[in-house]
Amino acid sequence: EDQVTQSPEALRLQEGESSSLNCSYTVSVLRGLFWYRQDPGKGPEFLFTLYSAGEEKEKERLKATLTKKESFLHITAPKPEDSATYLCAVPANQAGTALIFGKGTTLSVSS
Amino acid sequence: NAGVTQTPKFQVLKTGQSMTLQCAQDMNHNSMYWYRQDPGMGLRLIYYSASEGTTDKGEVPNGYNVSRLNKREFSLRLESAAPSQTSVYFCASSEYGGGTQYFGPGTRLTVL
């Protein structure tokens, strides 16, 4: 069964304190891994798509990496405005390629 | 471009009432989706439409029906609302199945 697991559930950082969020996945065929950011009361906002092991993508203080079993979202020198819930997802094989989402990591960055 | 729009933004229903949630996208996407998001459960797929004229059940379809009205619009109907359907509902669209999904702002539904 296709599955996505994110850890930790919650992460508190001081401004400037770098860290990483983990997304492990189980799919028979990986056809992409997606990262989203969700702010309270809003819909998820697309960040990155990764397609193959070894691939990396960056956007401001965020860098996403992919291995054969997991993806990491590295946050370098975070700022309070990076506080949000970060979701990862993979296309399911059983449901016509709709996305399966992890439960997310809620990041809080304090100044 | 408005992207994905949803109406209404908030709704309160009594048990047994019916309502339709509306979703529209202006990106000429082929695929559209309805999710619900509950605390501790993450985003769960209710129904999806891979292309105009087709709809399929997702993980949690019981108590819901959908209509893909045309390429732009995908509605979700609750025929007889139950308290267990209290949730935040998100509509999303993608150019093709498995592609990057773009989400609407959500509808916050409370069933009393």
Side-chain angles (χ1 to χ4, degrees):
Chain A
E1 180 182 346
D2 298 337
Q3 196 169 351
V4 177
T5 303
Q6 292 187 246
S7 62
E9 289 186 13
L11 182 62
R12 292 184 177 273
L13 299 174
Q14 292 289 320
E15 185 171 5
E17 180 185 2
S18 302
S19 187
S20 297
L21 282 55
N22 177 264
C23 171
S24 61
Y25 59 89
T26 305
V27 290
S28 54
V29 177
L30 181 65
R31 286 175 285 129
L33 185 137
F34 300 82
W35 281 99
Y36 287 82
R37 169 189 171 127
Q38 186 174 22
D39 293 301
K42 297 191 176 182
E45 176 187 350
F46 171 71
L47 291 173
F48 306 109
T49 308
L50 303 167
Y51 288 103
S52 57
E55 188 176 359
E56 300 183 351
K57 288 194 175 174
E58 292 189 59
K59 181 180 181 179
E60 296 181 355
R61 294 173 293 282
L62 301 177
K63 182 169 78 172
T65 61
L66 182 65
T67 71
K68 288 186 177 180
K69 293 186 176 182
E70 57 192 349
S71 177
F72 293 94
L73 185 64
H74 306 278
I75 303 175
T76 302
K79 297 182 178 182
E81 53 262 42
D82 295 321
S83 298
T85 296
Y86 292 87
L87 304 169
C88 70
V90 297
N93 290 298
Q94 295 90 349
T97 70
L99 295 181
I100 297 176
F101 282 84
K103 294 181 180 180
T105 294
T106 300
L107 174 66
S108 300
V109 182
S110 55
S111 57
Chain B
N1 285 352
V4 179
T5 57
Q6 293 183 235
T7 56
K9 292 184 179 177
F10 300 93
Q11 185 70 49
V12 178
L13 293 177
K14 295 181 179 179
T15 297
Q17 288 185 317
S18 63
M19 77 161 296
T20 300
L21 281 63
Q22 305 287 353
C23 173
Q25 51 90 9
D26 63 2
M27 296 174 282
N28 200 35
H29 284 171
N30 293 299
S31 302
M32 297 185 74
Y33 312 85
W34 277 106
Y35 293 90
R36 61 177 289 173
Q37 188 174 40
D38 303 290
M41 299 297 293
L43 280 161
R44 292 182 292 170
L45 182 68
I46 304 171
Y47 270 94
Y48 66 100
S49 172
S51 60
E52 186 178 357
T54 68
T55 60
D56 284 288
K57 296 178 180 179
E59 179 185 356
V60 288
N62 291 344
Y64 306 95
N65 286 299
V66 291
S67 296
R68 183 75 183 266
L69 304 171
N70 48 55
K71 191 171 185 179
R72 291 186 63 249
E73 298 173 287
F74 189 38
S75 64
L76 179 72
R77 183 162 178 83
L78 287 69
E79 291 290 353
S80 178
S84 61
Q85 294 177 304
T86 294
S87 187
V88 181
Y89 292 85
F90 289 102
C91 177
S93 70
S94 63
E95 186 177 1
Y96 54 87
T100 300
Q101 292 186 14
Y102 296 89
F103 284 79
T107 294
R108 284 143 189 83
L109 175 66
T110 300
V111 183
L112 303 175

